[in-house]
Amino acid sequence: INAALCLPLLPLLCSFGSIWAQKRLGNARFPLDPSIHTGKLANGIAYYIVEDKSSPGEVVVQYITRSGAANDKSPEAAHILEHILARKSSDIPINNHIINAVTRPDATYYRYQLGSAEGQVMEALMTFRKWMDQKANISNGVFSTEKSVVREEYRMKAFRNPAEAELMEFFFQGSMVPKQKMKRDMELTTVAHVMDFYRRWYHPRYSAVTIVGDVKRSDAEKWIKQTFAGLAAGSVSEANSVAMV
């Protein structure tokens, strides 16, 4: 995808990435780029839209839940769930789509690179709706496979970039599950732990959707409201969370 298409996302991603800093700064807020159109549905879903014609026929659709590794009750439950949902998304009948996903301490991101046709964008949005409607099912086989992938990711990361591994261990000091404990105890995490994390956090009240690219803002906003407006907000997790910007 054209790098220019991703540029409008930078202020948005910085805003999400700054949630931890905002908590430390009290009520301070970082303003969004004026090209970003934003809104919030009654059930709590925040949405962000950027109409960008620099890459004709291309759209990036993203789902964010403001829950991540720092919210884990069991080692790597958030990360394993991210792998499972991203893998299951490959079953969606979207032609030539590309998906990438990442788990951060305070959020989890799922990103689709699509064509700009309404059908493709709606397929991605309907996938997000299914997740937030608590319709995802996780088999033991898929769980075991993706748990092995996560284990290998950490092995390779520690081998290729030991400085980053040490930095992450430092970052997680004082959190619910320190990073070094995650590495040691990940084998204790079961499919039931992952489903518990999913049920606690994948609700509209903790979610955001972004659409960026060759799409009319009015169309994108209509599709978002059409897809998600009927969802219930979901229960409030007992874990600490912060408001979307």
Side-chain angles (χ1 to χ4, degrees), residues 60-95:
V60 172
V61 182
Q62 187 170 235
Y63 170 69
I64 306 107
T65 174
R66 65 175 187 271
S67 57
N71 303 110
D72 274 331
K73 286 185 173 181
S74 302
E76 294 305 292
H79 193 179
I80 295 169
L81 177 60
E82 170 237 301
H83 275 254
I84 291 171
L85 293 181
R87 167 190 166 128
K88 294 294 287 183
S89 298
S90 64
D91 298 332
I92 301 168
I94 303 175
N95 295 327

Coordinates of all heavy atoms in Angstrom, one line a residue, residues 60-95:
V60 N -7.8 1.0 4.2 CA -7.3 0.3 5.4 C -8.4 0.4 6.5 O -8.9 1.5 6.8 CB -6.0 0.9 6.0 CG1 -5.7 0.3 7.3 CG2 -4.9 0.7 5.0
V61 N -8.9 -0.8 7.0 CA -9.9 -0.8 8.0 C -9.3 -1.5 9.2 O -8.6 -2.5 9.1 CB -11.1 -1.7 7.5 CG1 -12.2 -1.7 8.6 CG2 -11.7 -1.1 6.2
Q62 N -9.5 -0.9 10.4 CA -8.9 -1.3 11.6 C -9.8 -1.4 12.8 O -10.7 -0.6 12.9 CB -7.7 -0.3 12.0 CG -6.8 -0.8 13.1 CD -5.6 0.0 13.3 OE1 -4.5 -0.5 13.3 NE2 -5.8 1.3 13.4
Y63 N -9.6 -2.5 13.5 CA -10.4 -2.6 14.8 C -9.4 -2.6 15.9 O -8.4 -3.2 15.9 CB -11.1 -4.0 14.8 CG -11.7 -4.3 16.2 CD1 -12.8 -3.6 16.7 CD2 -11.2 -5.3 17.0 CE1 -13.3 -3.9 17.9 CE2 -11.7 -5.6 18.2 CZ -12.8 -4.9 18.7 OH -13.3 -5.2 19.9
I64 N -9.8 -1.8 17.0 CA -8.9 -1.6 18.2 C -9.8 -1.9 19.4 O -10.9 -1.4 19.5 CB -8.3 -0.2 18.3 CG1 -7.6 0.2 17.0 CG2 -7.4 -0.1 19.5 CD1 -8.3 1.2 16.2
T65 N -9.3 -2.8 20.3 CA -9.9 -2.9 21.6 C -8.9 -2.4 22.6 O -7.7 -2.7 22.5 CB -10.3 -4.4 21.9 OG1 -10.7 -4.5 23.2 CG2 -9.1 -5.3 21.7
R66 N -9.4 -1.6 23.5 CA -8.4 -1.0 24.5 C -8.2 -2.0 25.7 O -8.4 -1.7 26.8 CB -8.9 0.4 25.0 CG -10.2 0.5 25.8 CD -10.4 1.9 26.2 NE -11.5 2.1 27.1 CZ -12.7 2.4 26.7 NH1 -13.0 2.4 25.5 NH2 -13.6 2.6 27.6
S67 N -7.7 -3.1 25.3 CA -7.3 -4.1 26.2 C -6.1 -4.8 25.6 O -6.0 -5.1 24.4 CB -8.4 -5.2 26.5 OG -8.8 -5.8 25.3
G68 N -5.1 -5.0 26.4 CA -3.9 -5.6 25.9 C -3.1 -6.5 27.0 O -3.8 -6.9 27.9
A69 N -1.8 -6.6 26.8 CA -1.1 -7.5 27.6 C -1.1 -7.1 29.1 O -1.0 -7.9 30.0 CB 0.4 -7.5 27.2
A70 N -1.2 -5.8 29.4 CA -1.3 -5.4 30.8 C -2.6 -5.8 31.5 O -2.7 -5.7 32.7 CB -1.1 -3.8 30.9
N71 N -3.6 -6.2 30.7 CA -4.9 -6.6 31.3 C -5.0 -8.1 31.5 O -6.0 -8.6 31.9 CB -6.0 -6.1 30.4 CG -6.0 -4.6 30.2 OD1 -5.8 -4.2 29.1 ND2 -6.3 -3.9 31.2
D72 N -3.9 -8.8 31.1 CA -3.9 -10.3 31.2 C -4.0 -10.7 32.7 O -3.3 -10.2 33.5 CB -2.6 -10.8 30.7 CG -2.6 -11.1 29.2 OD1 -3.7 -11.3 28.6 OD2 -1.5 -11.1 28.6
K73 N -4.9 -11.7 32.9 CA -5.0 -12.4 34.1 C -4.1 -13.6 34.0 O -3.6 -14.2 35.0 CB -6.4 -12.8 34.5 CG -7.2 -11.6 35.0 CD -8.6 -12.1 35.5 CE -9.4 -11.0 36.1 NZ -10.7 -11.6 36.6
S74 N -4.0 -14.1 32.8 CA -3.2 -15.3 32.6 C -2.1 -15.0 31.5 O -2.4 -14.2 30.6 CB -4.0 -16.5 32.0 OG -5.1 -16.8 32.9
P75 N -0.9 -15.5 31.7 CA 0.2 -15.1 30.8 C -0.1 -15.3 29.3 O -0.5 -16.4 28.9 CB 1.4 -16.0 31.2 CG 1.0 -16.4 32.6 CD -0.5 -16.4 32.7
E76 N 0.0 -14.2 28.6 CA -0.2 -14.2 27.1 C -1.6 -14.5 26.6 O -1.7 -14.7 25.4 CB 0.9 -15.1 26.5 CG 2.3 -14.7 26.7 CD 2.6 -13.3 26.2 OE1 2.5 -13.0 25.0 OE2 2.8 -12.4 27.0
A77 N -2.6 -14.4 27.4 CA -3.9 -14.6 26.9 C -4.3 -13.7 25.8 O -4.9 -14.0 24.8 CB -4.9 -14.6 28.1
A78 N -4.0 -12.4 26.0 CA -4.3 -11.4 25.0 C -3.6 -11.6 23.7 O -4.2 -11.5 22.6 CB -4.0 -10.0 25.6
H79 N -2.4 -12.0 23.8 CA -1.5 -12.2 22.6 C -2.0 -13.4 21.9 O -2.1 -13.4 20.6 CB -0.1 -12.3 23.0 CG 0.9 -12.2 21.9 ND1 2.2 -12.3 22.0 CD2 0.7 -12.1 20.5 CE1 2.8 -12.2 20.9 NE2 1.9 -12.1 19.9
I80 N -2.3 -14.5 22.6 CA -2.8 -15.7 21.9 C -4.1 -15.5 21.3 O -4.4 -15.9 20.1 CB -2.9 -16.9 22.9 CG1 -1.5 -17.2 23.5 CG2 -3.5 -18.1 22.3 CD1 -1.5 -18.2 24.7
L81 N -5.0 -14.7 21.9 CA -6.3 -14.4 21.4 C -6.1 -13.6 20.1 O -6.8 -13.8 19.1 CB -7.2 -13.6 22.4 CG -8.5 -13.2 21.9 CD1 -9.4 -14.4 21.5 CD2 -9.2 -12.3 23.0
E82 N -5.2 -12.6 20.1 CA -5.0 -11.8 18.9 C -4.6 -12.7 17.7 O -5.1 -12.6 16.6 CB -3.9 -10.8 19.2 CG -3.4 -10.1 17.9 CD -1.9 -10.3 17.8 OE1 -1.1 -9.9 18.7 OE2 -1.4 -10.8 16.7
H83 N -3.7 -13.7 17.9 CA -3.3 -14.6 16.9 C -4.5 -15.5 16.4 O -4.7 -15.7 15.2 CB -2.2 -15.6 17.4 CG -0.9 -15.0 17.3 ND1 0.1 -15.4 16.3 CD2 -0.2 -14.0 18.0 CE1 1.2 -14.7 16.4 NE2 1.0 -13.8 17.4
I84 N -5.3 -15.9 17.3 CA -6.5 -16.8 17.0 C -7.5 -16.0 16.1 O -7.9 -16.5 15.1 CB -7.2 -17.3 18.2 CG1 -6.2 -18.3 18.9 CG2 -8.5 -17.9 17.9 CD1 -6.7 -18.7 20.3
L85 N -7.8 -14.8 16.5 CA -8.8 -14.0 15.7 C -8.3 -13.6 14.4 O -9.0 -13.6 13.4 CB -9.2 -12.8 16.5 CG -10.0 -13.1 17.8 CD1 -10.4 -11.8 18.5 CD2 -11.3 -13.9 17.5
A86 N -7.0 -13.3 14.3 CA -6.4 -12.9 13.0 C -6.3 -14.1 12.1 O -6.6 -14.0 10.9 CB -5.0 -12.4 13.2
R87 N -6.0 -15.3 12.7 CA -6.0 -16.5 11.9 C -7.4 -16.8 11.4 O -7.6 -17.1 10.2 CB -5.5 -17.6 12.7 CG -5.7 -19.0 12.0 CD -5.4 -20.1 13.0 NE -5.9 -21.4 12.6 CZ -5.2 -22.5 12.4 NH1 -3.9 -22.5 12.8 NH2 -5.7 -23.6 12.0
K88 N -8.4 -16.8 12.2 CA -9.8 -17.1 11.8 C -10.3 -16.1 10.8 O -11.1 -16.5 10.0 CB -10.7 -17.1 13.1 CG -10.4 -18.2 14.1 CD -10.7 -19.5 13.6 CE -12.1 -19.8 13.5 NZ -12.4 -21.2 13.0
S89 N -9.8 -14.9 10.8 CA -10.2 -13.9 9.8 C -9.9 -14.3 8.4 O -10.4 -13.9 7.4 CB -9.6 -12.6 10.1 OG -10.1 -12.1 11.4
S90 N -8.9 -15.2 8.3 CA -8.5 -15.7 6.9 C -9.6 -16.5 6.2 O -9.6 -16.7 5.0 CB -7.2 -16.5 7.0 OG -7.5 -17.7 7.7
D91 N -10.6 -16.9 7.0 CA -11.7 -17.6 6.4 C -12.8 -16.7 5.8 O -13.7 -17.1 5.1 CB -12.4 -18.4 7.5 CG -11.5 -19.5 8.1 OD1 -10.6 -19.9 7.4 OD2 -11.7 -19.9 9.2
I92 N -12.6 -15.4 6.0 CA -13.6 -14.4 5.5 C -13.4 -14.3 3.9 O -12.3 -14.2 3.5 CB -13.4 -13.0 6.1 CG1 -13.6 -13.1 7.6 CG2 -14.4 -12.0 5.6 CD1 -13.1 -11.9 8.3
P93 N -14.5 -14.3 3.2 CA -14.4 -14.3 1.7 C -14.1 -12.9 1.2 O -14.9 -12.3 0.5 CB -15.7 -14.8 1.3 CG -16.7 -14.3 2.3 CD -15.9 -14.5 3.6
I94 N -13.0 -12.3 1.6 CA -12.6 -11.0 1.0 C -11.4 -11.2 0.1 O -10.4 -11.8 0.5 CB -12.1 -10.0 2.2 CG1 -13.2 -9.8 3.2 CG2 -11.7 -8.7 1.6 CD1 -12.9 -9.0 4.3
N95 N -11.5 -10.8 -1.2 CA -10.5 -11.1 -2.1 C -9.3 -10.2 -1.9 O -9.4 -9.0 -1.7 CB -11.0 -10.8 -3.6 CG -12.1 -11.8 -3.9 OD1 -12.0 -13.0 -3.5 ND2 -13.0 -11.4 -4.7

